[in-house]
Amino acid sequence: MTDFPISTLDLFIIGGYFIIVFGIGYYIAKRIDTGEDLFLAGRSLMWGTIGLSLFASNISSTTLIGLAGDAYSTGIAVSNYEWMAGLVLVFMAFFFIPFFIRSRLTTIPEYLEKRFDVRSRKYFSGLTVVTSILIDAAGGIYAGTLVLQMFFPELPFLWTAFGLALVAGLYTAAGGLAAVVYTDVIQAVILFVGSCIIAVLTFAQFDFSWAQATAALPDGHLSMIHPVDNPEGRLPWLGTLIGVPVLGFYYWGLNQYIVQRVLGAKDLKQARWGALLGGLLKLAPLFIMVLPGAWALTLYPDLPEADLVFPTLVTELLPVGVVGLVLAGLIAAIMSTIDSTLNAASTLITVDFVKPNKPDLTAEQVGTLGRWITIVLMVAAALWAPMILNFEGLWNYIQQMLSFLVPPVVAVFLLGVFWDRMGGHSAFVTLVGGHALSLAIFLFWVNDIINIHFTIIAGILTVLCLLLATGVAIAFDEQPEAKKVDGLTWSNRSLEPEEPMPWYKDYRWQSVAIVVVTVVMVIAFW
C-alpha cells in the first residue's frame, strides 16, 4: 500500500473545518450560563438536530473503522448491530423516552434513584463514566489517530492522541452539549456524504456490477444470518437474536452520551421524532460502510490488519481534493465521539456525585466545575487510547467489553419499568451481583473454558440477571412505596391524551415504516 499525498486543497478543506468547529464552540460558549445550558442545551433541541446528532455521535471514527474492518474479515453480519439500532430506538420511543422526558432527567442514572434508591444511581453512574472514557472516548481517539497516521505516517501515536483529545475537549468544555449537537449536524452531513463517495468509488472498481463485486468473496460473506458454530467467527444468529438487542438497548437507551441528546429535547414529541430519525439513518451503514468493507477483501486481500480497510479505501481510491473532504469527515467523526463522551461523563460526575454533596453550588459554579471535569477526563481518555493497540480489532474490543458490562444494567431498567414489585434492594444486588457473575464468566471466556460468541454470552447473562433480580425482589423486597412507582413504571404511567396530528407526523406510523424497511433489508441479505 502506497502513501497518498495530501494536496494543498485537501489541507485547506481540513483547516476550514477546524475553523468552523471552533467558531461554533466560541459562539455557543458566550451563551452558556448555567449547568443545564452546558449539559442539556437548555432543553431546547428539536427533532432534526437530535436525530442528526444521534447519527453523527454513533457513526464515529470508531464505527467507520470498526464496521469496515469487521466486514472485511468476517462479512456483513456486523451490520446487524446497525439495523437493530432502528428497532431499539422504536422500542425506546414507545416505552422509555416518555418516562425520561416527563421526569425531566439530566442523567439516566437519576431514574434509578427516583425508582429505587441512591445506591443504584451512583453505581450505574460510576460505571457509565468508566465505560464512556475507556470504551467510547478512548476508542474514538484510537481510531482517529490510526486514520491520521495513514495520511501522516510520521505522527507519533501518543502525541497525536493527545492533540485530538485536546481539540475536542476544549470546545466541549466551552460550549457543552449545545456545541456538541450543533457541530454534530455538520459532522453528520460530512460523514454521510463522505461514506457515500467511498461506497460509490468502491463499487466502481467492479464496473458497478453486483456479480463482479461478489464473485470472489467467500461463501456467506454477504449474509447477515449465520449458524452458531461457524468457523469464520461471524456473528451467529443466536447472538443477533438475544445478544445484539441487549447491547443495542444499553447503547441507545441507557448510555448517557447518546441519550443526553434526547434528554435535551424541547418536549416529548421532539424527543420521539429525533430518536426515530436516528433509527432511520441507522439503516444506511449497511450500504455505505459495511458493503464497501466486504468488497475490499477482493481489492486488497493482503492487508495486515482489518482495521486498515477504511483508511486504505480512502488513500487508494479518492482523487486529490476529495481526500480533504473525506478526511475532514473522519476528523468530524473523531470529534463527535470524543466531545459527546466527554460532555456526558462530565455531566454524570457533576450531577450525580458533586451536586448531591454540595447542594449550595450556584448554576454558574456547576457550569464552571463541569468544564474543568471535562478537561480532566480528556487527559484520561488520551492516556488510555494506546492500550487499545493490545486488542484484536477495534469493533470487537468495544462489543466484547460491553457484552460483559451491560447485562445487569439492562435487567434492572427493564424490570424497573415493567414490574412494580421490584425494589431498591433487588436492584442494587442485581447490579453488583450481576457484575460479579459477569467477571467470573469473563475469566472463563478469556481462558477458553467457555467458548461461545460474546453476543450469546450477553444474552445469557441478561437472562441470569433477570432471574437474580426477580428472586431477590420476591424474597427480600417489600412492596415499593407509591412515590417509587407513580409515573415511573408502565402500569403507573400518566396517560396524557395524544395530540391530534397528520399520520405522517405520528410516531407510531413512523415506527411501522422503520420496522418494515428493516425487515425487507434482513430478508434481502438473509
Side-chain angles (χ1 to χ4, degrees), residues 40 49 60 82 100 106 121 124 177 191 209 218 246 256 263 279 323 387 390 393 399 419 426 451 453 465 468:
L40 292 180
T49 303
S60 61
E82 303 304 300
F100 294 163
T106 301
R121 173 183 180 175
F124 178 47
L177 183 64
L191 287 170
S209 167
V246 170
Q256 180 71 20
L263 299 181
V323 171
M387 299 298 103
N390 298 322
Q399 302 304 328
W419 191 36
S426 57
N451 189 22
H453 198 272
C465 289
L468 172 64

Side-chain angles (χ1 to χ4, degrees), residues 375-405:
I375 293 173
V376 172
L377 295 174
M378 169 192 74
V379 175
L383 288 172
W384 179 255
M387 299 298 103
I388 302 177
L389 291 167
N390 298 322
F391 291 82
E392 184 179 351
L394 178 62
W395 188 256
N396 280 341
Y397 164 75
I398 295 171
Q399 302 304 328
Q400 288 172 13
M401 291 274 284
L402 291 178
S403 293
F404 292 94
L405 289 173

Side-chain angles (χ1 to χ4, degrees), residues 396 399-401 403-404 438-455 457:
N396 280 341
Q399 302 304 328
Q400 288 172 13
M401 291 274 284
S403 293
F404 292 94
S438 294
L439 176 60
I441 293 179
F442 174 77
L443 294 175
F444 284 126
W445 186 70
V446 295
N447 289 291
D448 292 328
I449 298 173
I450 296 177
N451 189 22
I452 57 178
H453 198 272
F454 56 84
T455 54
I457 292 177

Side-chain angles (χ1 to χ4, degrees), residues 5 36-37 48 62 100 102-103 201 211 221 285 303 308 315 324 338 376 411 417 444 472 494 498 506:
E36 184 165 284
D37 290 337
T62 305
F100 294 163
R102 288 168 182 157
S103 299
L201 291 179
H221 210 68
L303 291 179
L308 296 177
T315 56
I338 302 169
V376 172
V417 168
F444 284 126
V472 174
S494 56
E498 296 284 350
D506 190 324

Side-chain angles (χ1 to χ4, degrees), residues 68 72 202 206 217 291-301 303 309 313:
Y72 177 89
T202 304
F206 304 97
L217 294 177
L291 282 174
W295 292 332
L297 182 61
T298 301
L299 298 175
Y300 313 105
L303 291 179
V309 172
L313 292 173

